[in-house]
Amino acid sequence: MIRMPITERPDWKEKATEFGFHFHTLYGEPYWCENAYYQFTMQQVEDLEATTAELHQMCLQVVEKVVNNEELLLKFQIPKHCWEFVNHSWKTNQPSLYSRLDLAYDGKRPAKLLENNADTPTSLYESAFFQWIWLEDQINAGYLPANADQFNSIQEQLIERFAQLRESFDFNWLHFACCQDSDEDRGTIQYLQDCAHEANITTEFLYVDQIGLGEKGQFTDPNNQVISNLFKLYPWEFMFREIFSTKLADAGVRWLEPAWKSIISNKALLPMLWEMFPNHPNLLPAYFAEANPPKLDRYVIKPIFSREGANIRIIDNEREIASVDGPYGEEGMIIQQFYPLPQFENNYTLIGSWLVNDQPAGIGIREDNQLITQDLSRFYPHIILN
């Protein structure tokens, strides 16, 4: 695994506009970057693929344990009135679409799981589509060898998964929802709608705050159409605390992602994994903060609902060496052994490893000058070359 400089495509911003990639620059700072790329060998990619598959199956075993244990549901901060709703989603095998594992990996040592983005993962469009266009363009321009490849079948697998959902679960009509005021979330939804259209699914978009409640307790869209299937880019921990959360079980909606994803998108997953699979080579020691954990010289404090690095603190020998502000923390904390991200030319690099329908599908790479990866951390493309 190496970081290689490369000439940028002269027209990449025009292409980004053409393809609807409107968040390539965020708050005046570059988000998409292509002045360099990360290069992997096939063996390294196969290692990442195998690790991703194994870790995901381990996470599913955590779900099986938590949904049947009231004490653990409390630790995961799932409200009591939602326990049966979450349990039912698991027992009835409610289908999932996709997720992303965040891994620390340098191409030499075993990858380490930092967290699981199983409910509302973003950076999808740039991982699945725009970095593939970059690869084709750079090969055609002669800046990459003709045999350069990419660990990336995300789009193909998404379309195939949508087709399976349409045929097996009657997803002929699918509503999509996200919050307002986020170009990235809206771009992710638009991309998923395009994939659903490729699978002959009719889609309708609305914002989360436009979801209404019909006379018979069904959720409805602004046209008073009943919502039967809904993909929501809105976290379950938020939904469980909305006024309408008492109606979730009776509204007749099939959700993407399903409610059982609230367990593995929660940082409480990490101490559960360590307890169930101690000393696994792809895990880091992790503990619930209130459980008198063993003393660690270097560790990370993470709120169990934290997103995009918010409210995370890194402690090195009792000294805080990095932290990010944010709105989280009251829900409880976990402590995870600190494992520094690998550095390439003074950039800290994180790998997002994607799964579609429980199968590894590709990777996206983020890098930052700081130890904690956040929402504005830069995205870089990658290739496979032996």
Side-chain angles (χ1 to χ4, degrees):
M1 179 180 173
I2 54 177
R3 187 181 192 274
M4 297 288 291
I6 191 171
T7 301
E8 295 184 4
R9 295 170 294 171
D11 61 344
W12 76 261
K13 288 187 177 180
E14 288 78 9
K15 285 201 170 185
T17 300
E18 176 188 351
F19 290 122
F21 189 7
H22 301 302
F23 53 97
H24 60 76
T25 302
L26 295 171
Y27 306 104
E29 296 294 328
Y31 168 65
W32 168 270
C33 295
E34 57 176 72
N35 59 322
Y37 62 89
Y38 284 83
Q39 180 175 310
F40 296 81
T41 67
M42 182 57 73
Q43 182 61 57
Q44 289 168 335
V45 165
E46 289 174 352
D47 289 345
L48 282 170
E49 187 174 18
T51 295
T52 299
E54 182 177 4
L55 286 171
H56 180 65
Q57 291 303 313
M58 291 158 57
C59 291
L60 296 182
Q61 292 183 55
V62 173
V63 179
E64 176 66 29
K65 185 169 184 176
V66 172
V67 295
N68 296 303
N69 188 305
E70 293 184 359
E71 181 181 351
L72 292 175
L73 288 165
L74 285 172
K75 280 185 175 291
F76 278 69
Q77 292 295 310
I78 296 174
K80 288 185 180 181
H81 70 275
C82 297
W83 287 358
E84 179 55 35
F85 176 64
V86 173
N87 186 294
H88 183 264
S89 74
W90 177 251
K91 297 302 183 185
T92 55
N93 297 312
Q94 291 301 299
S96 66
L97 179 64
Y98 75 137
S99 59
R100 190 191 79 230
L101 302 180
D102 283 349
L103 305 173
Y105 181 64
D106 61 5
K108 303 170 186 174
R109 295 170 293 178
K112 299 290 187 181
L113 176 67
L114 299 182
E115 60 186 64
N116 188 350
N117 299 274
D119 184 18
T120 58
T122 52
S123 77
L124 176 68
Y125 172 87
E126 50 273 37
S127 296
F129 181 76
F130 205 68
Q131 70 167 338
W132 183 261
I133 298 297
W134 167 87
L135 174 69
E136 292 182 328
D137 287 348
Q138 295 292 45
I139 290 175
N140 291 335
Y143 289 114
L144 290 174
N147 63 333
D149 201 355
Q150 199 171 84
F151 180 25
N152 186 5
S153 61
I154 303 169
Q155 179 163 298
E156 295 90 334
Q157 291 197 46
L158 282 171
I159 294 169
E160 181 180 349
R161 180 55 171 162
F162 275 123
Q164 292 171 348
L165 292 172
R166 177 176 54 80
E167 295 166 6
S168 301
F169 297 95
D170 196 28
F171 275 79
N172 292 302
W173 187 289
L174 180 57
H175 281 81
F176 285 82
C178 69
C179 291
Q180 301 194 42
D181 303 322
S182 172
D183 289 341
E184 183 179 9
D185 286 4
R186 186 66 187 95
T188 300
I189 288 288
Q190 182 61 61
Y191 174 65
L192 285 168
Q193 284 184 265
D194 290 343
C195 291
H197 292 158
E198 288 292 319
N200 296 317
I201 294 176
T202 302
T203 73
E204 188 74 39
F205 174 78
L206 72 164
Y207 290 110
V208 170
D209 59 9
Q210 293 178 317
I211 297 174
L213 194 63
E215 293 181 359
K216 297 181 180 179
Q218 318 103 314
F219 291 137
T220 58
D221 67 14
N223 298 317
N224 291 320
Q225 179 179 347
V226 172
I227 298 173
S228 299
N229 303 304
L230 176 63
F231 177 94
K232 75 329 164 266
L233 203 63
Y234 188 65
W236 276 115
E237 64 265 24
F238 292 175
M239 291 188 66
F240 289 160
R241 287 155 178 82
E242 297 279 3
I243 295 175
F244 61 70
S245 64
T246 57
K247 306 292 185 182
L248 289 170
D250 302 322
V253 178
R254 179 175 281 117
W255 301 91
L256 286 177
E257 296 296 328
W260 57 262
K261 284 287 192 83
S262 63
I263 294 173
I264 56 175
S265 63
N266 186 314
K267 304 292 189 300
L269 167 75
L270 300 170
M272 287 298 302
L273 284 170
W274 186 249
E275 177 185 310
M276 293 172 63
F277 306 97
N279 302 311
H280 190 282
N282 301 120
L283 296 177
L284 295 168
Y287 310 92
F288 290 102
E290 74 276 8
N292 296 317
K295 182 175 175 56
L296 300 172
D297 291 333
R298 310 176 79 200
Y299 58 94
V300 184
I301 303 172
K302 298 180 177 182
I304 66 172
F305 292 156
S306 172
R307 293 173 179 272
E308 304 286 5
N311 297 101
I312 286 177
R313 300 167 58 210
I314 301 176
I315 310 298
D316 186 350
N317 289 302
E318 301 184 358
R319 184 174 65 90
E320 183 176 282
I321 61 172
S323 66
V324 176
D325 293 332
Y328 302 101
E330 292 184 2
E331 71 276 16
M333 306 277 195
I334 66 102
I335 291 174
Q336 184 183 49
Q337 184 182 72
F338 176 53
Y339 187 87
L341 293 173
Q343 279 189 278
F344 295 84
E345 300 181 18
N346 298 316
N347 301 290
Y348 295 100
T349 301
L350 176 75
I351 293 178
S353 189
W354 292 92
L355 297 109
V356 177
N357 190 20
D358 300 320
Q359 300 301 316
I363 59 173
I365 297 173
R366 305 284 297 280
E367 69 170 38
D368 204 298
N369 306 102
Q370 306 299 318
L371 281 168
I372 300 173
T373 306
Q374 301 178 59
D375 57 345
L376 300 183
S377 299
R378 301 175 297 276
F379 188 102
Y380 275 83
H382 78 277
I383 70 169
I384 306 169
L385 192 66
N386 282 326

